[in-house]
Amino acid sequence: MENLNWSELGFGYIRTDYNIRCYYRNGKWGELEVCSSEILNIHMAATCLHYGQESFEGLKAFRGKDGKIRVFRMDENAKRMQSSSRGIKMAELPIELFEEAIRKVVKLNERFVPPYESGAALYIRPLMLGLGAQVGVKPAPEYMFVVFVTPVGPYFKGGFQPSKVCILREYDRAAPNGTGTIKVGGNYAASLVAGEIAHSKGYAAVLYLDPKEKKYLDECGPANFFGVRGNSYITPKSHSILPSITNKSLQQLAADMGLTVECRPVPLEEIATFDEAAECGTAAVIAPISQIDDLDENKSYVIAKDGKPGPVCETLYHKLRAIQYGDEPDNYGWITIIE
Ligand SMILES: *Cc1c(COP(=O)(O)O)cnc(C)c1O
């Protein structure tokens, strides 16, 4: 295994040995190609560079106590990437080809999968690009699918700690019937200004309101939002939220714990009634929220009065991580073991 200080790793880029590439030309996908260069050689008039024909995914591989490498719900990432392709008129990559690419890239970079004890993981980043020289606004004739990996450290270095988020009504991440439901780079570019304002004021993220009426909760920067009240797990439903695979998994685990899962429009004022609130996504699994500051209305919603994560967040977090690392049984077929 590589000799890195695994538990001190952040969420940055570290070079690994190989990446996988695959091209769509003349109406069909080619073979998976193994590549050791980190550089893409693409035409300056490619549509991904000008008109945002780009989508990506993010998932992780974990090394268990038994030494085996597990990838979490990659079929869901494959399906979501297809939905992103449909959303911005790119070629759809077959699910089997996506899964084969993931298995291959993890296996080839096996020495970069962090050891179990470190709490770190191998981050897997698939991306899809529109290629071909074109200046008119229309879908590209050719596409390139790339997957690379990089080891990332544990998200919570100082323990599982809640943070503060803020509401900034002046900014939207996505339009009401725009590209919010698909995982495209353009949504991220659109969120950078608000994200930087939030960070400069000491917040971990922006909690976006629905872009149409500004009445309901949407999502939290690059993560979904959920709240807990009594025996309910409550998560917003809207036309501009990216369907998080982590959220979907947590909803299942919450139901298994006997909680009622509510996926519906959540009015902003309802956060005053929440016992717990959190962001969720692949990076952190769950990042609990201690306080939500509505900066336009000068109003604060304090959720974790003692500054500690609530019991439901705590249980769900440990439960999902235990499944990912193979410490608990995989009852739903969420895990692929890389052999
Ligand atoms: C990727 C992403 C998430 C989290 O999705 P997971 O599948 O749980 O990692 C949430 N919101 C946005 C906007 C995202 O891009």
Side-chain angles (χ1 to χ4, degrees):
M1 203 180 290
E2 197 56 17
N3 196 11
L4 289 170
N5 194 352
W6 304 103
S7 52
E8 288 308 312
L9 281 180
F11 193 81
Y13 175 81
I14 290 171
R15 188 189 175 137
T16 56
D17 294 332
Y18 300 102
N19 56 84
I20 305 286
R21 302 174 185 197
C22 187
Y23 294 88
Y24 179 87
R25 292 188 182 115
N26 303 316
K28 56 178 192 293
W29 287 99
E31 301 280 302
L32 298 181
E33 298 171 18
V34 176
C35 191
S36 56
S37 164
E38 299 167 279
I39 307 300
L40 303 180
N41 192 10
I42 64 174
H43 198 284
M44 62 187 174
T47 63
C48 63
L49 300 176
H50 300 258
Y51 304 131
Q53 268 199 311
E54 187 273 348
S55 79
F56 66 98
E57 276 300 327
L59 62 163
K60 281 177 174 174
F62 308 88
R63 195 184 293 277
K65 240 181 230 160
D66 53 9
K68 289 187 180 151
I69 301 169
R70 291 168 173 81
V71 176
F72 187 68
R73 303 196 81 171
M74 66 172 169
D75 55 325
E76 290 291 333
N77 294 93
K79 286 190 258 173
R80 193 167 64 188
M81 185 163 241
Q82 289 188 330
S83 140
S84 297
S85 279
R86 287 193 296 274
I88 53 171
K89 288 284 175 197
M90 301 197 289
E92 284 181 49
L93 186 77
I95 295 186
E96 312 74 60
L97 206 52
F98 181 98
E99 294 188 348
E100 192 190 336
I102 303 295
R103 276 195 289 269
K104 209 165 195 163
V105 78
V106 173
K107 186 71 192 166
L108 287 168
N109 293 292
E110 203 170 350
R111 69 190 182 99
F112 292 97
V113 184
Y116 172 79
E117 302 72 38
S118 66
L122 186 72
Y123 185 73
I124 307 166
R125 168 54 58 86
L127 61 149
M128 178 76 73
L129 303 170
L131 300 184
Q134 190 162 289
V135 288
V137 181
K138 57 175 189 277
E142 299 187 351
Y143 294 89
M144 180 186 202
F145 171 68
V146 184
V147 196
F148 67 83
V149 296
T150 195
V152 294
Y155 189 90
F156 296 104
K157 293 203 172 60
F160 188 53
Q161 276 302 320
S163 52
K164 295 202 287 186
V165 301
C166 65
I167 293 168
L168 292 167
R169 279 178 193 66
E170 300 267 288
Y171 299 91
D172 292 315
R173 190 188 72 89
N177 293 305
T179 52
T181 53
I182 57 174
K183 207 166 176 80
V184 296
N187 294 339
Y188 278 71
S191 71
L192 290 176
V193 170
E196 212 155 89
I197 294 171
H199 293 152
S200 74
K201 292 176 187 282
Y203 296 99
V206 178
L207 174 55
Y208 288 97
L209 298 184
D210 80 276
K212 192 169 181 184
E213 297 185 82
K214 303 269 173 180
K215 276 191 185 160
Y216 302 96
L217 301 178
D218 240 22
E219 60 176 323
C220 221
N224 275 187
F225 174 89
F226 70 85
V228 174
R229 184 177 59 239
N231 203 39
S232 295
Y233 177 106
I234 302 160
T235 192
K237 183 173 177 168
S238 113
H239 291 296
S240 42
I241 293 180
L242 190 280
S244 151
I245 298 161
T246 311
N247 192 357
K248 187 173 174 179
S249 311
L250 292 171
Q251 288 175 40
Q252 180 67 57
L253 299 179
D256 293 352
M257 281 164 62
L259 294 170
T260 305
V261 175
E262 299 176 26
C263 184
R264 56 164 170 84
V266 180
L268 164 62
E269 311 76 57
E270 198 176 332
I271 52 183
T273 67
F274 287 160
D275 303 319
E276 301 181 35
E279 301 176 56
C280 62
T282 295
V285 175
I286 290 176
I289 296 171
S290 56
Q291 182 173 327
I292 300 169
D293 287 353
D294 185 340
L295 298 180
D296 308 305
E297 303 280 317
N298 235 329
K299 209 169 162 185
S300 272
Y301 299 86
V302 180
I303 296 178
K305 295 190 179 60
D306 56 359
K308 296 205 183 79
V312 174
C313 282
E314 188 92 46
T315 307
L316 285 172
Y317 173 76
H318 291 294
K319 180 96 190 158
L320 188 56
R321 291 204 12 124
I323 297 170
Q324 292 175 329
Y325 282 91
D327 293 334
E328 284 206 24
D330 169 28
N331 294 330
Y332 296 103
W334 287 347
I335 300 295
T336 303
I337 294 187
I338 303 297
E339 301 178 293

